[in-house]
Amino acid sequence: MKDYLDEKPDVKSLYHRFPNIKNFENQIEEKSIEWSSKSLERQNLVNVLRNQYNGLEDVDKVLYNIDLLEKENTFTITTGHQLNLFTGPLYFFYKIIDTINLTNKLRSFYPKYNFVPIYWMASEDHDFEEIQYFNYAGKKIVYETDQTGAVGRFENRELDKVYKVLELSLGKSDYAQELLQTFEKAYLKTSSLSEATRVLVHNFFKDDGLLILDADDTTLKRTMFPFFKQEFTDQKSYNQVNNTLSSWPDKYKVQVNPRENNLFYLKDNLRSRIISHENDTYSIDGTDLKFDKKEILEVLNKYPERFSPNVILRPIYQEVILPNLCYIGGGGEMAYWLQLKQMFDSYNVTFPILLLRNSVLIATEKQIRKLTALKLSVQEMFLHPDKLKEKVTNLHSEIEIDFSNQKSHLKKQFQDLYEIATKTDHSFYGAVAAQERKQIKGLENLEKRLLTAQKRKLKDVNERALKLQEQLFPNGNLQERVLNFSSFYEKYGSQWLEKLKSNLNPFDLRFTVIKLPD
């Protein structure tokens, strides 16, 4: 990701266009050509979205954006995420806010076109363990169920137990009650996890016109028939991604490896891998289901909704059914997207601009005051705890711990000895060098012992610094990967969300620190 953001040569062949505002002009032109003959696909997308929003309240701005999608000059900006319970970690919000903010910037820069933000729900994902919990006040709130298959199809049973745990955990403020009402509306008054997530996310972003798409849909899957068919006829995705990986730079980790067949079989409470065998036969992992090529292609033609793309094919699915210009995701997502450009080219599908989402640290004014009192900057909070203690000790010690001057003085003294050594036996020169190393090492050891002694003396100030670091980086992790939005919403309400919207710039790829009032 660092090399990508720096536009290093090693990465340039792995993407199409770098994410800056001017590069969107050519992306729009290319996508316009690709979609010039896809009026039916546009209409199908519009119909599916209208149907999915049927019955939802406060949808005026959403319906306006859905109507815009009928127009040939309308394009989408997309992010995707799993259906984490109560949105999961904080970065869920950062991805969506970046998506909304980017559409707003593009509208200003390219007024001839329309831009619509999309949140693609990973409703077909079956890794329930990854999404079944969120953290609040240092406590893991978990949803237990024995359901299996695509999580978006899970029935919302037993979520009342999660509600009761949340009710006991939250305080009594008005914002806390608002959170409870939001959870109840989303999870206790809908029938599936996919519906619940739509209601929940719509509650926060309805005024931004965010479109929430569930691609677990027969109409949309039918568009993918020719692409899914090639998984059984020529293994195109497997071959193309492997070609990319054959020249993959050694210094970069391979994020995902393609399978010979990159589809899952999806039916009722089942989402299992399709396994390719010799003689063009296929089996469904963990079941007794078996097909020959003719049989499975017949099923694909008749029931396209039974086939679900894996991590390799899902991006193609997204870009085929959406007039999409840009995908916004985290570092791990960007890494696997960078493996896919050759596959996109082989399918004649425009590769989207890839934009790394913003990373954010939220600090209160009180925490900033504590930092100032400790003579520390926010940047120094990112140090390893041992390095942080060393920094704090040096800052607050009344004694100079740095022995650089003493080392420099010692080296100057040895210069005279080296001059003598050049005039005598070589072995004497070696003895001088050995003695210099020994004395420098001795000074370094004394320096370390002094630092250790001062750390003990300044134990209280070091403990304050480490406690503050733990608040900002819980369990040594980035705040955005641990905390849930409820921790901030309970105190600040929607003001917290507005603060994020006004401060996150999708084109500013530095780490963002946002200060909130006490």
Side-chain angles (χ1 to χ4, degrees):
M1 280 302 95
K2 289 169 67 178
D3 285 357
Y4 176 63
L5 298 182
D6 291 337
E7 300 183 69
K8 294 283 183 70
D10 286 348
V11 192
K12 286 209 169 184
S13 65
L14 305 178
Y15 63 91
H16 194 30
R17 294 187 177 94
F18 191 75
N20 63 56
I21 193 76
K22 292 184 178 179
N23 278 346
F24 276 86
E25 181 175 3
N26 289 333
Q27 192 75 12
I28 290 168
E29 290 177 3
E30 188 172 350
K31 202 68 179 178
S32 296
I33 294 169
E34 182 183 316
W35 273 70
S36 60
S37 60
K38 296 178 76 169
S39 58
L40 177 61
E41 285 82 352
R42 276 191 182 274
Q43 194 58 55
N44 285 340
L45 177 62
V46 166
N47 292 342
V48 167
L49 281 165
R50 284 174 179 159
N51 183 59
Q52 291 184 357
Y53 274 92
N54 188 34
L56 212 59
E57 299 174 349
D58 300 322
V59 292
D60 289 351
K61 292 187 178 180
V62 166
L63 292 179
Y64 176 78
N65 275 347
I66 293 175
D67 290 343
L68 281 181
L69 280 172
E70 290 184 307
K71 302 177 182 295
E72 288 188 3
N73 65 337
T74 299
F75 301 92
T76 63
I77 305 297
T78 303
T79 192
H81 200 73
Q82 296 164 295
L83 309 189
N84 293 71
L85 184 65
F86 217 36
T87 74
L90 280 168
Y91 67 82
F92 175 88
F93 278 85
Y94 306 157
K95 293 169 80 170
I96 290 178
I97 291 170
D98 275 344
T99 303
I100 291 166
N101 285 352
L102 179 55
T103 60
N104 292 334
K105 286 183 178 294
L106 290 172
R107 285 173 192 146
S108 298
F109 205 84
Y110 299 102
K112 293 192 302 182
Y113 301 97
N114 304 307
F115 304 94
V116 173
I118 298 275
Y119 160 46
W120 178 291
M121 292 194 290
S123 56
E124 295 178 45
D125 188 20
H126 62 270
D127 196 344
F128 179 62
E129 290 183 359
E130 284 193 1
I131 70 161
Q132 70 176 138
Y133 69 92
F134 66 94
N135 295 309
Y136 173 77
K139 179 181 180 181
K140 206 174 197 180
I141 298 179
V142 184
Y143 170 36
E144 301 286 359
T145 181
D146 59 0
Q147 298 178 77
T148 59
V151 294
R153 299 182 178 189
F154 279 23
E155 297 176 3
N156 289 348
R157 55 177 187 252
E158 300 179 288
L159 276 159
D160 56 321
K161 295 177 182 177
V162 178
Y163 175 86
K164 289 173 183 175
V165 173
L166 184 60
E167 186 178 29
L168 291 172
S169 303
L170 287 170
K172 302 298 181 183
S173 70
D174 289 343
Y175 293 140
Q177 296 308 304
E178 191 178 315
L179 282 171
L180 281 174
Q181 291 167 10
T182 300
F183 188 96
E184 180 182 19
K185 182 179 179 182
Y187 291 99
L188 305 188
K189 295 184 177 180
T190 58
S191 60
S192 71
L193 199 53
S194 184
E195 288 180 49
T197 304
R198 182 187 302 281
V199 170
L200 178 65
V201 178
H202 179 71
N203 178 74
F204 296 113
F205 296 107
K206 56 182 179 289
D207 292 335
D208 302 290
L210 177 72
L211 303 186
I212 303 163
L213 177 63
D214 183 357
D216 183 6
D217 180 272
T218 303
T219 300
L220 300 179
K221 290 282 180 72
R222 190 160 293 285
T223 303
M224 284 297 292
F225 176 82
F227 300 90
F228 288 171
K229 183 179 179 180
Q230 288 184 76
E231 288 300 294
F232 302 103
T233 57
D234 58 16
Q235 299 179 320
K236 180 179 277 193
S237 64
Y238 174 76
N239 292 325
Q240 294 297 327
V241 176
N242 271 336
N243 282 341
T244 297
L245 295 181
S246 67
S247 58
W248 193 255
D250 290 338
K251 63 179 177 176
Y252 302 140
K253 175 186 174 183
V254 173
Q255 197 72 8
V256 292
N257 284 292
R259 299 185 183 277
E260 291 183 349
N261 188 289
N262 290 290
L263 290 170
F264 287 92
Y265 194 74
L266 181 65
K267 188 180 180 185
D268 301 326
N269 62 346
L270 174 73
R271 186 181 188 246
S272 290
R273 196 160 53 88
I274 298 175
I275 302 174
S276 299
H277 300 283
E278 294 179 358
N279 303 319
D280 288 335
T281 60
Y282 306 89
S283 63
I284 309 303
D285 192 31
T287 76
D288 296 327
L289 292 172
K290 293 181 180 179
F291 305 90
D292 61 27
K293 182 181 282 189
K294 181 181 178 182
E295 290 170 334
I296 204 157
L297 290 176
E298 286 175 353
V299 176
L300 174 62
N301 184 54
K302 193 172 182 180
Y303 305 106
E305 70 276 7
R306 293 187 186 178
F307 296 81
S308 175
N310 72 357
V311 67
I312 294 288
L313 275 185
R314 191 212 65 80
I316 281 283
Y317 184 23
Q318 172 189 297
E319 296 302 311
V320 166
I321 67 171
L322 294 176
N324 193 53
L325 302 175
C326 174
Y327 183 77
I328 296 175
E333 290 176 280
M334 295 294 97
Y336 77 71
W337 272 88
L338 290 171
Q339 296 177 203
L340 306 179
K341 184 178 181 297
Q342 185 174 338
M343 179 184 72
F344 269 77
D345 292 344
S346 72
Y347 281 123
N348 294 315
V349 176
T350 302
F351 195 69
I353 291 174
L354 301 178
L355 182 61
L356 185 66
R357 66 164 176 84
N358 281 125
S359 280
V360 180
L361 174 67
I362 299 172
T364 64
E365 290 177 348
K366 182 178 180 180
Q367 288 169 329
I368 298 297
R369 287 196 298 272
K370 287 182 178 180
L371 268 178
T372 303
L374 289 164
K375 303 178 185 178
L376 291 168
S377 66
V378 173
Q379 287 93 328
E380 286 161 340
M381 283 286 100
F382 286 79
L383 292 171
H384 186 278
D386 290 341
K387 291 292 184 182
L388 179 62
K389 286 169 66 177
E390 186 176 324
K391 181 72 177 180
V392 170
T393 302
N394 276 290
L395 284 170
H396 291 267
S397 174
E398 295 175 357
I399 305 169
E400 181 67 45
I401 298 173
D402 185 359
F403 283 10
S404 296
N405 289 336
Q406 289 85 344
K407 292 174 195 173
S408 178
H409 180 68
L410 185 64
K411 287 181 178 179
K412 285 178 182 177
Q413 289 181 319
F414 270 89
Q415 285 301 318
D416 294 336
L417 291 172
Y418 279 122
E419 287 183 19
I420 295 172
T422 58
K423 299 173 183 178
T424 185
D425 186 79
H426 180 72
S427 63
F428 182 72
Y429 191 97
V432 171
Q435 188 64 28
E436 181 187 26
R437 288 195 298 271
K438 181 179 179 180
Q439 293 197 30
I440 292 292
K441 186 69 175 176
L443 279 175
E444 289 174 346
N445 288 335
L446 286 173
E447 190 177 47
K448 288 177 183 177
R449 291 190 67 175
L450 178 59
L451 177 62
T452 301
Q454 287 301 91
K455 281 181 183 178
R456 286 197 297 268
K457 185 177 179 181
L458 295 166
K459 180 181 177 183
D460 288 346
V461 70
N462 271 306
E463 286 181 350
R464 280 169 27 219
L466 291 175
K467 183 178 180 181
L468 182 57
Q469 186 182 52
E470 173 62 23
Q471 291 173 4
L472 297 173
F473 296 87
N475 302 321
N477 294 311
L478 289 178
Q479 179 192 77
E480 64 185 29
R481 304 195 70 84
V482 177
L483 299 188
N484 179 259
F485 82 99
S486 54
S487 299
F488 295 99
Y489 201 95
E490 180 183 18
K491 184 175 182 180
Y492 300 103
S494 60
Q495 299 170 43
W496 167 77
L497 198 53
E498 294 307 313
K499 185 85 169 177
L500 289 174
K501 289 178 184 177
S502 62
N503 279 277
L504 293 189
N505 177 1
F507 289 119
D508 186 349
L509 299 175
R510 296 174 296 173
F511 202 104
T512 305
V513 180
I514 294 179
K515 182 171 67 175
L516 292 176
D518 294 336

